[in-house]
Amino acid sequence: MHEERHEPRSRLKREVRFKPGQELQQELQQELQGEARYEPRPILKSKARHVVIHKVSHGVSYRAMDKVPGETMVKLPQGAIADISIAGRPQTKRITSLRLLVPLVIVFSLILNLSLPATTEAAGIELGVTAQKAWNDVLNKADRQTKASLQRAYENVGSLEGQGKTWEHKTKALHTSNMAELKRLQASIRQTDEKKISSLTQSLERTQARYEPLFALYTAVNKQLDAARATKNKEWTAVVRAQADTLKPAVQLAREEIRMKKSELAEARKRKNTEIKRLRNMLSGADSVKRQIQTAKKQVSLTKERYSNALKQFKQSLKQTQPSRVLSSLNQLVSATEKWTSTKQQVYTLEQKVSNHYTKVNQELAKRK
């Protein structure tokens, strides 16, 4: 009679080693004392491995039973205990995981390729579809040395055009900054010594207000003196003349103080006007550079026209698909582009001179604060 007992998965994973003699038989007898029952797990019905223990007259042996198709049950010899680990089973879960992982890897690779910039040739001239096709035909038709020269010149034109755009942006930004600085400097020049002038003006006004009662009294006394003289009253005339003589020194001192303050204020205003004139002359020193900028801009327009003509000739030469003629026109385009870019750089250099000139004027203004 056979007794079956279901072993837990934790016991299936461990390796059962051979134990000799009586010790092995005692251990197996202890395991066979319980009632054997077969309870496969509902989730792993097709993959559950169970252990069937056969009692035989001559000993005990283990057999492995598996629901996976393709496996066979092997009866072990007497006294042998099977290694019932699941290392030899088909790894269906692992294969399924790999099958799911492959599409994800492919999708990730496509996304990565789309996100990275394509490796193309160095930027060159911006051509239309027809001109670009003609250019490719010329490159395919040219020999190795001519092709290298064509590509080098083509890339030089693109590089020079990029430099020209950079100079244009920098010049525009610097010109805007210079215009704002000019307005600020003009306002600052108008306010030269403004605080000092304001202080002197307020001091004069306070002095005049302080002496105003004295002047009013002195005026009234003089009027009384004229009235006393008109009446030919010697006593009254003498009294009023004494009051006028007493006030006269104080009035003279007050008038002198006011005169000095007025003179000081006038001198300050004069110095202010002189300084404003000097600073404005200094500021206008940038006008000569500005005239140079206007001349340089005319040169930019002329070189741009030459560039446009050279570009037109280059595109026309592409239609003939002759590498030598294309290279010649392309070299002319390189020269025209280089001159165009250099004139743009010259304009920026002149704008930089204007900026430096304004910096010097600003330093002069800072000294007067």
Side-chain angles (χ1 to χ4, degrees), residues 313-322 325-326 329:
Q313 291 178 0
F314 166 68
K315 291 182 178 180
Q316 289 177 353
S317 66
L318 287 175
K319 298 178 182 179
Q320 300 176 2
T321 65
Q322 295 182 8
R325 295 194 61 178
V326 173
S329 63

Side-chain angles (χ1 to χ4, degrees), residues 13 30 33 41 43 60 79-80 82 84 90 111 118 124 149 152 164 169-170 174 177 192 201 217 230 270 284 294 337:
K13 291 184 179 179
Q30 293 174 1
Q33 287 176 2
R41 297 183 181 179
I43 298 178
V60 180
I84 57 175
I111 295 174
S149 300
R152 191 182 308 110
H169 293 318
K170 293 177 67 175
L174 185 57
S177 176
T192 299
T201 301
L217 177 62
K270 185 178 179 179
S284 63
Q294 296 301 321
T337 309

Side-chain angles (χ1 to χ4, degrees), residues 79-97:
I81 300 176
D83 180 4
I84 57 175
S85 68
I86 60 173
R89 293 181 57 185
Q91 303 297 321
T92 55
K93 285 187 177 181
R94 185 177 301 175
I95 294 173
T96 305
S97 300

